[in-house]
Amino acid sequence: MTNSIYKKMTLTKENEKALKYAMSKEYLKKVKASDTKRAKRKSIINKPISKEIKEALLAL
Amino acid sequence: MTLQEYYNSLTFLALDELLKQHSQEKIEKLLSTFKCIKNPDLEEFLTTSSKAIQSEKRAITRTYLYLELQNNTLIVVAYFTIAIKILYSEGLSKSIIKKLDGIDKNREAMPSYLIAQLGKSDKCRYKIGLYILDNSIEKIRESHQIRSCPPN
């Protein structure tokens, strides 16, 4: 997936249907369910860097 | 190895942190290991003219990398990039603008988070897209708590 960082992004009438859905109770319920599932999946964001990777970084 | 085990075996690092600890030359070498035939833009952002590094240094974007040791070589197997973007509301009805902005129905521009890049390398051995998306949302939420840009 690639989105332009510099290109101007404008929301138009064509986006209204999607925006209305994104703010609906129905969709927010789905988001909540998805958040619950996500919380169960273990994240590696805060995993410490292993010795092997540290060494590989130094050896670059 | 299961998908979860593969994901757990990866190393997650912020490009910003890497740049603080290693030379740009080394980081460029690491980023050049990312290959994606299906989406050349994804590869180009990391590897060509140091776009990712320049945007990181100027604090325009924040890029996060997934690293794996394959045959004793460290490679980037996936990454995502987050930026803060202004969304213009030309043509939207006032009720929608009010809902999006939360305050003013006449707001013409609203800050929001943009997942500018998100993808995996051809060398990534499992379909970890869901995990990358999870982590990008996690990072946006972290940022939202600190910087108060609405997570639209």
Side-chain angles (χ1 to χ4, degrees), chain A residues 1-18:
Chain A
M1 184 176 83
T2 303
N3 287 311
S4 175
I5 299 157
Y6 296 104
K7 202 175 159 189
K8 184 179 176 181
M9 277 188 164
T10 306
L11 295 167
T12 64
K13 278 273 178 201
E14 287 175 12
N15 303 117
E16 281 209 0
K17 197 179 169 185

Side-chain angles (χ1 to χ4, degrees), chain B residues 27-95:
Chain B
I27 304 305
E28 281 174 3
K29 195 177 166 189
L30 175 66
L31 299 184
S32 70
T33 61
F34 184 88
K35 304 288 171 205
C36 186
I37 293 168
K38 278 186 185 172
N39 188 343
D41 285 346
L42 204 60
E43 185 179 317
E44 196 193 313
F45 181 76
L46 269 197
T47 59
T48 311
S49 319
S50 313
K51 269 188 192 175
I53 293 175
Q54 295 311 319
S55 306
E56 193 77 26
K57 283 184 170 176
R58 292 167 62 208
I60 293 167
T61 61
R62 285 290 173 248
T63 294
Y64 299 89
L65 309 167
Y66 295 82
L67 307 179
E68 185 188 5
L69 262 178
Q70 283 185 10
N71 303 320
N72 289 324
T73 306
L74 193 61
I75 61 164
V76 178
V77 288
Y79 82 96
F80 64 86
T81 300
I82 295 168
I84 287 179
K85 182 97 178 174
I86 300 296
L87 282 177
Y88 293 90
S89 60
E90 292 160 29
L92 281 184
S93 67
K94 297 212 181 289
S95 62

Side-chain angles (χ1 to χ4, degrees), chain B residues 5 23 29 95 97-98 100 103 109 115 141:
Chain B
E5 284 167 348
S23 69
K29 195 177 166 189
S95 62
I97 295 172
K98 176 81 189 280
L100 280 173
I103 301 169
I115 299 176
R141 289 202 169 141

